Amino acid sequence: WYQRRVRGDIVVFRSPKHGSKLAMKRITGVGGDTILPSKVMKTEVEPVKIKPGYVWVEADNRETAGRDSNEYGQLHEKMILGKVTWLLWPWSRVQDLRNTLPPHRGLSEQTALVPEAQTS
């Protein structure tokens, strides 16, 4: 499966920690972006420059989020198996997920993109 990776896409990928398990997260950074991780246990947060061919993924719900790039770092695009386009269950929540933003916040609020001038 190949498609240009876009910030905001929800993707399914092989877990970097447990290769036999699948995970589903939102892409919040793509190759060339510099981001500030959102869930770091250190007192100082260092910007991360996303390498070409890699993405940064995070859960929409930070409070109950499982493992994401804040734990295992950048995700190689080859680990991505597909893009999630529809939520089909439960029936009361069926919806088109293409071009959606995380609930109650914009993408820019989810993971801070660092302006290029600050990364030099």
Side-chain angles (χ1 to χ4, degrees):
W1 178 79
Y2 181 80
Q3 184 176 349
R4 198 182 84 156
R5 310 302 182 218
V6 178
R7 259 180 255 103
D9 283 352
I10 301 170
V11 293
V12 175
F13 55 92
R14 295 226 177 267
S15 168
K17 296 286 184 182
H18 308 283
S20 62
K21 293 186 179 183
L22 299 180
M24 180 175 65
K25 305 289 180 197
R26 187 178 301 270
I27 295 176
T28 57
V30 296
D33 286 348
T34 301
I35 60 101
L36 287 174
S38 65
K39 296 184 293 189
V40 179
M41 298 305 215
K42 304 174 193 171
T43 55
E44 292 184 34
V45 177
E46 295 291 323
V48 176
K49 175 86 171 184
I50 309 299
K51 299 181 274 188
Y54 287 78
V55 295
W56 189 268
V57 295
E58 291 190 357
D60 281 355
N61 185 342
R62 289 190 202 164
E63 308 308 317
T64 60
R67 296 185 171 109
D68 62 16
S69 287
N70 288 288
E71 179 180 323
Y72 48 69
Q74 301 176 45
L75 178 72
H76 197 284
E77 288 185 349
K78 288 184 179 181
M79 295 180 78
I80 297 174
L81 302 174
K83 178 179 173 179
V84 178
T85 58
W86 285 87
L87 176 63
L88 299 175
W89 189 261
W91 290 112
S92 61
R93 293 185 57 208
V94 170
Q95 61 183 301
D96 184 350
L97 296 175
R98 295 171 289 190
N99 303 315
T100 62
L101 291 177
H104 309 296
R105 59 183 189 266
L107 189 59
S108 62
E109 297 168 349
Q110 183 175 11
T111 300
L113 289 172
V114 178
E116 204 55 40
Q118 293 182 10
T119 62
S120 305

